[in-house]
Amino acid sequence: MRIISGKYKGRKIVAPKKLPVRPTTDLAKESLFNILNNQFYFDEIIVLDLFSGTGNISYEFASRGCTQLTAVDGDYGCVNFIKKTAKEFDFNITSIKSDVFKFLEKTPIQATIIFADPPYNFSDEQFATISNLVFTNNLLEESGYLIIEHSAHTKLEKLKNFSFSKKYGGCVFSFFEHPEADNEYNNN
């Protein structure tokens, strides 16, 4: 994987092959950040990266100037890899080993962007639980986004607070926001 923009643009990061991950492709990642670039100043936001895997998305936010990042994953190897890489690049990423659902039940963090990249084989109920926990526990800032990455076979449009989705190959990013939010892409 490589960092596509920011201070470390073009830097490659090689993750151990034994990690149980499916990193977001460069094309999908670049498209996602094109949307976010028009909405946020990265040095002013708080990001939660759920099911963070290799930390691919966290590194992209950090390279673009985000300094308040928390990466959560249930795999010890993934968490250690993120810690090691964050130290190497001097990224301010807090890496936490936790079941994401338990983390969402207890965290006091309120984020501007919550990015979740759960396994593509999650059930509809598991996807809904992510969204429900974020909004029930008021974890998303009013002007922010919950973004869930999933396969094109999964449909999340019926979930509460769904706003819009963008498809890139077999990957889809579904965006959720507060109903009273006034973001550029709201209701598109």
Side-chain angles (χ1 to χ4, degrees):
M1 80 187 117
R2 70 180 176 93
I3 296 175
I4 57 172
S5 191
K7 181 177 179 181
Y8 292 97
K9 178 180 179 178
R11 291 283 302 267
K12 291 188 178 183
I13 299 171
V14 180
K17 293 185 189 286
K18 62 184 176 187
L19 296 180
V21 297
R22 172 201 30 78
T24 304
T25 65
D26 285 353
L27 172 65
K29 188 169 57 167
E30 186 168 11
S31 300
L32 170 65
F33 277 89
N34 284 340
I35 293 170
L36 299 177
N37 280 334
N38 293 322
Q39 298 281 316
F40 303 100
Y41 294 106
F42 293 110
D43 60 344
E44 298 176 357
I45 64 172
I46 299 168
V47 174
L48 271 178
D49 182 5
L50 308 175
F51 305 96
S52 54
T54 61
N56 188 12
I57 294 296
S58 288
Y59 307 142
E60 199 65 48
F61 276 110
S63 181
R64 293 165 186 257
C66 183
T67 60
Q68 297 183 64
L69 286 148
T70 303
V72 182
D73 199 277
D75 184 82
Y76 184 73
C78 289
V79 171
N80 281 340
F81 179 72
I82 294 169
K83 286 180 181 178
K84 176 182 166 253
T85 305
K87 185 176 180 181
E88 178 184 331
F89 284 85
D90 196 28
F91 289 152
N92 188 24
I93 300 172
T94 302
S95 187
I96 298 172
K97 184 193 177 306
S98 176
D99 173 88
V100 170
F101 297 113
K102 289 178 182 174
F103 175 83
L104 290 174
E105 288 172 0
K106 296 179 180 182
T107 186
I109 298 171
Q110 189 177 49
T112 318
I113 295 175
I114 300 174
F115 182 84
D117 186 7
Y120 274 15
N121 65 353
F122 258 28
S123 68
D124 291 346
E125 293 78 23
Q126 288 171 305
F127 280 109
T129 299
I130 295 167
S131 176
N132 290 340
L133 285 169
V134 165
F135 288 102
T136 300
N137 295 327
N138 195 32
L139 302 179
L140 185 68
E141 291 178 357
E142 187 175 307
S143 63
Y145 286 128
L146 163 63
I147 305 164
I148 300 178
E149 180 177 340
H150 56 90
S151 77
H153 302 292
T154 300
K155 307 294 181 207
L156 301 182
E157 293 84 3
K158 293 182 181 175
L159 295 181
K160 187 176 179 180
N161 299 312
F162 174 84
S163 182
F164 66 97
S165 64
K166 297 288 184 179
K167 182 176 186 268
Y168 305 100
C171 164
V172 177
F173 297 114
S174 287
F175 290 72
F176 298 80
E177 58 187 315
H178 289 280
E180 59 276 0
D182 188 25
N183 288 326
E184 177 181 339
Y185 289 87
N186 196 5
N187 299 319
N188 286 343

